[in-house]
């Protein structure tokens, strides 16, 4: 199959036709690219799992345009959820509701909940409006690989496997949406992202963060899997000194070490190839996945130095950073 890459606006009507015909199409969002299919169709949704090699118990997020009536898909919502929708949607916040059971059973993998997201990117909105169906979509990467933030990244993972990629340019957010459980008396974050706990609490009054206990079945199954992994050896360090020792050893074995770290640490890494993550949380979120993909192409050993920034979106950045480098 030929994989076309079309500018999002020019390709949206073809994309809508393909989705209605049960095909899988990749599309731009403000967080990362998504791999979408008609959420009402069992066959179309199953194609996503097959294409990604995604475990069958990891549920998908349904994407809709800003005027889609999500009440047709869910079984009621608490008052705080309505307030959060008004405050943050369209935007990088996925809300988990009691499901009305209207979409394919393969979307939620047997859970009685449904995750819904209204992306804000113009490309995503135009595509979803043209389609006017709920579109089930995980990030458009092979399972376990680094999430894609350009059309080229999607092409690298799915060339020849899907008919169309809607190119909306580089994703400005850079890490996946915040996943928020809205089925309880207060909202609870299942996956940290660009909409932070403080932002949610300022609207909802309170906000919990779910932490998986060892041995427990995770509430957001995706969190249990190896994720965001570059395809080269990796090492995680806390300091520049540690990173330099590892880099020297790698060079001695004839390898190519590359160090990924925040801007402030770069002056301490003379003589080693480096990738600059930036210095604010937003910048690190925007750059992380593209640099991980560059790192895997250039390095035999990609060494990450944990950023020291904290607060705001750093909770989400750190979670991805640590997991990309093999930490739990
Ligand atoms: O920004 C994003 O959210 C991107 C773009 C494409 O929208 N999508 C994305 O999808 O990151 P994915 O499949 O890579 O991650 C979805 C996460 C997984 O951790 C999954 O377990 C969780 O959302 N999830 C989906 N449905 C759920 C549900 N009903 N209850 C709890 N967690 C759910
Ligand atoms: Mg993903």
């Amino acid at each position: 199959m030929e994989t076309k890459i079309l500018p999002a606006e020019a390709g949206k009507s073809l994309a809508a036709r393909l989705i209605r015909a049960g095909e899988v199409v990749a599309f731009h969002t403000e967080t990362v690219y998504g791999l979408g299919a008609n959420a009402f169709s069992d066959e179309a949704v199953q194609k996503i799992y097959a294409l990604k090699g995604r475990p069958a118990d990891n549920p998908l997020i349904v994407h809709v345009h800003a005027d889609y009536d999500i009440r047709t898909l869910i079984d009621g919502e608490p008052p705080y959820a309505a307030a959060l929708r008004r405050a943050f949607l369209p935007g990088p916040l996925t809300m988990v509701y009691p499901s009305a059971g209207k979409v394919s059973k393969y979307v939620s993998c047997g859970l009685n909940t449904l995750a819904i997201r209204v992306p804000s990117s113009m490309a995503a909105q135009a595509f979803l409006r043209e389609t006017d169906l709920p579109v089930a979509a995980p990030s458009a990467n092979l399972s376990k690989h680094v999430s894609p933030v350009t059309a080229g990244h999607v092409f690298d993972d799915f060339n020849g496997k899907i008919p169309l990629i809607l190119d909306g340019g580089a994703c400005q957010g850079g890490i996946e949406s915040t996943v928020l459980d809205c089925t309880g008396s207060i909202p609870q974050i299942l996956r940290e992202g660009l909409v932070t706990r403080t932002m949610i609490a300022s609207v909802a009054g309170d906000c919990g963060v779910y932490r998986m206990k060892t041995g427990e079945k995770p509430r957001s199954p995706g969190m249990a899997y190896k994720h965001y992994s570059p395809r080269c050896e990796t090492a995680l360090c806390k300091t520049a000194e540690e990173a330099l020792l590892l880099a020297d050893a790698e060079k001695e074995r004839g390898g190519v070490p590359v160090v990924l770290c925040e801007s402030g640490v770069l002056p301490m890494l003379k003589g080693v190839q480096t990738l600059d993550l930036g210095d604010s949380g937003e910048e690190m979120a925007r750059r992380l996945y593209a640099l991980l993909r560059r790192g895997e192409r250039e390095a035999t050993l990609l060494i990450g130095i944990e950023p020291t920034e904290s607060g705001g979106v750093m909770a989400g950045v750190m979670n991805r950073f640590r997991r990309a480098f093999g930490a739990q």
Side-chain angles (χ1 to χ4, degrees), residues 141-142 144-148 157 228-230 289-290 292-293 296:
N141 52 278
L142 291 170
K144 302 189 179 71
H145 196 206
V146 180
S147 298
D157 281 13
Y228 321 120
S229 309
Y289 289 150
L292 288 171
R293 283 196 180 233
E296 74 181 4

Side-chain angles (χ1 to χ4, degrees), residues 261-266 275-287 291 307-311 313-314 317:
C261 62
E262 58 193 345
S263 307
V265 184
L266 292 174
L275 296 169
D276 178 4
L277 200 50
D279 47 23
S280 71
E282 283 71 21
E283 200 168 37
M284 293 193 223
R286 193 164 57 243
R287 291 185 187 179
L291 292 179
T308 52
E309 276 283 308
S310 60
V313 303
M314 281 311 289
V317 173

Side-chain angles (χ1 to χ4, degrees), residues 51-122:
L51 280 163
K52 281 189 61 117
R54 183 177 177 99
D57 64 350
N58 189 8
L60 304 175
I61 298 170
V62 156
H63 297 64
V64 294
H65 62 74
D67 296 318
Y68 195 93
D69 188 358
I70 65 157
R71 287 169 302 182
T72 61
L73 301 177
I74 64 176
D75 187 13
E77 67 176 339
Y80 69 76
L84 289 170
R85 277 200 288 132
R86 282 193 295 276
F88 298 115
L89 301 190
L93 176 67
T94 295
M95 300 172 68
V96 175
Y97 296 102
S99 176
K102 294 291 194 299
V103 299
S104 162
K105 60 181 182 295
Y106 297 107
V107 170
S108 290
C109 308
L111 299 172
N112 57 6
T113 53
L114 180 65
I116 301 184
R117 163 154 149 70
V118 186
S120 62
S121 100
M122 300 231 306

Side-chain angles (χ1 to χ4, degrees), residues 188-255:
Q188 191 176 38
I189 293 178
L190 302 178
R191 176 178 73 183
E192 279 164 308
L194 297 167
V195 177
T196 64
R197 180 187 197 172
T198 315
M199 290 160 72
I200 293 166
S202 73
V203 172
D206 201 356
C207 178
V209 180
Y210 172 69
R211 306 249 180 251
M212 194 172 69
K213 297 180 196 83
T214 17
E216 188 189 8
K217 191 165 181 276
R219 294 261 296 286
S220 189
M223 299 309 282
Y225 294 112
K226 188 168 158 60
H227 250 94
Y228 321 120
S229 309
R231 294 189 174 131
C232 59
E233 274 187 58
T234 57
L236 183 62
C237 300
K238 289 211 183 297
T239 64
E241 292 70 33
E242 252 180 277
L244 283 171
L245 284 175
L246 286 173
D248 282 345
E250 183 66 8
K251 278 188 203 161
E252 237 154 72
R253 337 189 279 189

